[in-house]
Amino acid sequence: MTIKNYIEILRLHNLFEYFPKEELLGLFNDNNHKISQYRKNSIIHFESERCLTLDIVLEGVVLIQRIDENGNVLTITEFNIGDVIGGNLLFTNNNLYPMTIIAKSDTTILHIQKDFILDLCQHNKNFLVEFIKSISDKTFILTSKIKSISLKSLRQSIIDFLSYEYYSRNSTKINLNMTKKELAERLGVQRTSLSRELNKMKRDGLVDYDKYSIIIQDLNIIKNKNQ
């Protein structure tokens, strides 16, 4: 695959929307970028690996995960087509990935060299502004997620998840589009810990659940959260 196959995806991105198609094609050459494909569950970047490129997801879904010394997996967030990885690390003195980056599905990544990004920032004001916005947005998302996880109990985190889904779907039955293991990773706990807390909430009459869904039985857990 060459950059030409993905040029329309790039032009939909805020970083490149101001470039005419032919100009954008002319900017890329064999020395300033690489397109790599990753199989599902393969590691794209290891924790503590040096960040040397700005990455853009062209196909697939990418997970940002942290694994602690006990083997607990914390999924901080996931990136989809068009999302940028590494923008907040590329020009720092300590440019090490703080977490592991994994392909959730078969994934294609555009790796853009640092010098090329620097040239674009110097010669195109629109690119520079959008690049700064992208860094700021991603930093805010990651910081907010880490802060919310570190300050809340597991029950509070489950209720936050149920609250979001309840208001999004306007239903007390939350059909899960992920496995319990994936939900546990999003909440930063082991699957057994999630199951144990869901059992306690079921005994308390707050929820009911099966393999495919969670049913909110006491709406006060949602209403009290938002008071």
Side-chain angles (χ1 to χ4, degrees):
M1 288 291 182
T2 67
I3 195 65
K4 188 174 181 180
N5 298 102
Y6 298 101
I7 204 69
E8 295 302 334
I9 293 177
L10 280 184
R11 292 187 68 233
L12 292 174
H13 197 286
N14 292 344
L15 289 175
F16 298 102
E17 64 178 341
Y18 299 101
F19 293 91
K21 180 178 178 180
E22 294 305 318
E23 180 184 351
L24 191 56
L25 279 171
L27 289 171
F28 283 90
N29 60 58
D30 292 340
N31 296 320
N32 61 24
H33 77 285
K34 181 175 73 171
I35 296 175
S36 301
Q37 295 180 318
Y38 300 88
R39 302 294 295 174
K40 179 180 179 181
N41 295 325
S42 62
I43 294 177
I44 299 170
H45 293 295
F46 289 93
E47 181 178 342
S48 297
E49 177 185 337
R50 290 201 175 278
C51 176
L52 302 175
T53 60
L54 180 78
D55 296 349
I56 298 179
V57 182
L58 298 177
E59 295 177 313
V61 180
V62 171
L63 296 177
I64 311 300
Q65 294 186 330
R66 183 71 181 270
I67 303 174
D68 66 18
E69 62 273 11
N70 297 317
N72 296 316
V73 178
L74 169 60
T75 298
I76 299 298
T77 190
E78 66 178 39
F79 290 161
N80 298 283
I81 293 174
D83 281 334
V84 173
I85 303 169
N88 57 328
L89 298 172
L90 194 58
F91 293 99
T92 64
N93 290 324
N94 186 25
N95 62 334
L96 305 178
Y97 287 102
M99 301 175 195
T100 302
I101 301 174
I102 297 175
K104 183 179 181 180
S105 62
D106 290 349
T107 300
T108 302
I109 301 288
L110 170 62
H111 303 282
I112 305 176
Q113 292 296 322
K114 178 179 178 178
D115 287 345
F116 184 33
I117 295 297
L118 187 58
D119 286 341
L120 290 172
C121 287
Q122 289 176 324
H123 296 104
N124 190 293
K125 182 178 179 180
N126 289 323
F127 182 91
L128 174 61
V129 171
E130 294 301 331
F131 182 62
I132 293 172
K133 284 182 182 178
S134 175
I135 292 173
S136 301
D137 289 344
K138 285 296 183 295
T139 301
F140 176 77
I141 290 170
L142 293 175
T143 302
S144 297
K145 182 67 180 286
I146 293 170
K147 182 179 179 181
S148 67
I149 290 172
S150 63
L151 294 178
K152 292 177 181 176
S153 67
L154 176 53
R155 179 168 294 200
Q156 288 174 318
S157 295
I158 293 172
I159 290 172
D160 281 350
F161 167 76
L162 294 176
S163 178
Y164 175 83
E165 296 293 331
Y166 169 75
Y167 286 111
S168 297
R169 307 178 190 212
N170 194 29
S171 173
T172 57
K173 183 176 182 180
I174 311 303
N175 293 314
L176 299 175
N177 58 359
M178 67 188 82
T179 65
K180 291 290 197 315
K181 181 177 182 293
E182 289 173 326
L183 178 57
E185 289 176 357
R186 283 185 58 180
L187 299 177
V189 298
Q190 292 185 337
R191 187 184 183 283
T192 52
S193 299
L194 174 62
S195 297
R196 189 160 50 244
E197 188 59 39
L198 285 173
N199 275 327
K200 291 179 182 178
M201 294 177 72
K202 183 176 180 177
R203 288 198 302 269
D204 292 342
L206 304 178
V207 302
D208 195 5
Y209 69 94
D210 56 30
K211 183 178 180 181
Y212 305 103
S213 64
I214 300 175
I215 300 171
I216 304 170
Q217 293 193 315
D218 185 352
L219 271 177
N220 285 325
I221 62 173
I222 304 297
K223 294 176 180 177
N224 291 340
K225 173 186 179 299
N226 292 286
Q227 286 180 352

